[in-house]
Amino acid sequence: MLENGTDGPRIIAAIETAWEVLQESHPELPDVYVIVDNAGARHNLVTPDRLEADMRLELPVHRDAIAAGPRAVLEAVLHVATHALCQVRGVSETSNRGMRHNKHFRDTAVELGMKWPTGEPPHATKGFSPVPLTPEAESGYAPLVAALGKSLDGVVVGVAESPAKGKSGTRLTLQCECTDPVRTFQIGPRIASVGPIVCGVCGAEFTER
């Protein structure tokens, strides 16, 4: 979790700005809002449970990426952006419940400045993931990494609490401070106990209602 309550909105704004920079060169990318993901199971855009016509998709960024620094955050965002480009184009980029990344993911990643090492076989379970940045892309993204670094400066990411045991099948309904529209979703108690989930719209933590 983020130790300082003011860190969340600042980090979220910086990551959303980074996404907007990617949209300038890749207008196919949809509008998003960022959530800090403590579970770590998601690596693509998420459709909210109650999707309105003008609502943005959720861009989850794992707390470990934030703790690792601006380069890791950028790589996480680029990974999600690769999935997003495939999805808006109707291209199937993964198999095995999203775990294995195929050649379509690899080839699309090239458009975002990443390239799979020549001659290197795919990972046994992840496939072509993660795809590393090229030296040219590292140079091009340097100003963006620097901007993210300023936003992450001084941020302390605490250790997530041990997951609590809950009854099988139990679901919690969490809600933030948004009112138009009200934003809620359901989640298992074990995942909810890992740490706070922050809304990218109002900046408040989702809590049980």
Side-chain angles (χ1 to χ4, degrees):
M1 64 182 69
L2 301 179
E3 296 290 324
N4 189 333
T6 64
D7 287 338
R10 175 162 54 94
I11 294 170
I12 287 169
I15 297 173
E16 289 183 350
T17 298
W19 185 268
E20 291 169 357
V21 170
L22 295 180
Q23 284 181 306
E24 292 177 1
S25 55
H26 299 85
E28 293 173 271
L29 290 173
D31 293 336
V32 301
Y33 63 89
V34 174
I35 63 169
V36 177
D37 180 20
N38 293 288
R42 301 181 297 181
H43 58 184
N44 54 10
L45 296 182
V46 180
T47 302
D49 290 338
R50 297 172 59 181
L51 182 63
E52 304 293 338
D54 59 345
M55 286 184 66
R56 297 171 291 169
L57 301 182
E58 296 177 358
L59 167 58
V61 177
H62 192 251
R63 59 182 297 279
D64 287 349
I66 296 173
R71 168 68 181 263
V73 170
L74 175 63
E75 290 175 342
V77 170
L78 290 171
H79 185 98
V80 175
T82 305
H83 280 292
L85 285 176
C86 290
Q87 290 163 8
V88 299
R89 296 169 181 173
V91 175
S92 178
E93 83 282 15
T94 62
S95 59
N96 192 23
R97 293 178 295 178
M99 286 292 296
R100 186 171 181 82
H101 299 66
N102 62 29
K103 64 180 182 180
H104 299 302
F105 181 89
R106 176 200 63 192
D107 295 345
T108 303
V110 172
E111 300 180 36
L112 291 162
M114 296 172 281
K115 183 179 180 181
W116 190 258
T118 302
E120 184 172 325
H123 188 274
T125 56
K126 296 180 181 179
F128 295 104
S129 177
V131 185
L133 284 169
T134 65
E136 294 79 10
E138 288 184 3
S139 177
Y141 285 129
L144 194 52
V145 172
L148 286 168
K150 290 181 179 179
S151 296
L152 294 176
D153 186 37
V155 170
V156 177
V157 181
V159 177
E161 299 175 357
S162 299
K165 295 182 179 180
K167 295 181 180 179
S168 177
T170 300
R171 305 288 287 177
L172 304 178
T173 299
L174 303 186
Q175 181 177 326
C176 64
E177 299 299 327
C178 289
T179 57
D180 187 18
V182 174
R183 300 187 62 243
T184 65
F185 68 94
Q186 291 190 332
I187 190 173
R190 182 181 66 81
I191 299 300
S193 69
V194 173
I197 301 173
V198 179
C199 175
V201 177
C202 67
E205 178 183 344
F206 282 92
T207 58
E208 188 174 5
R209 303 299 172 96

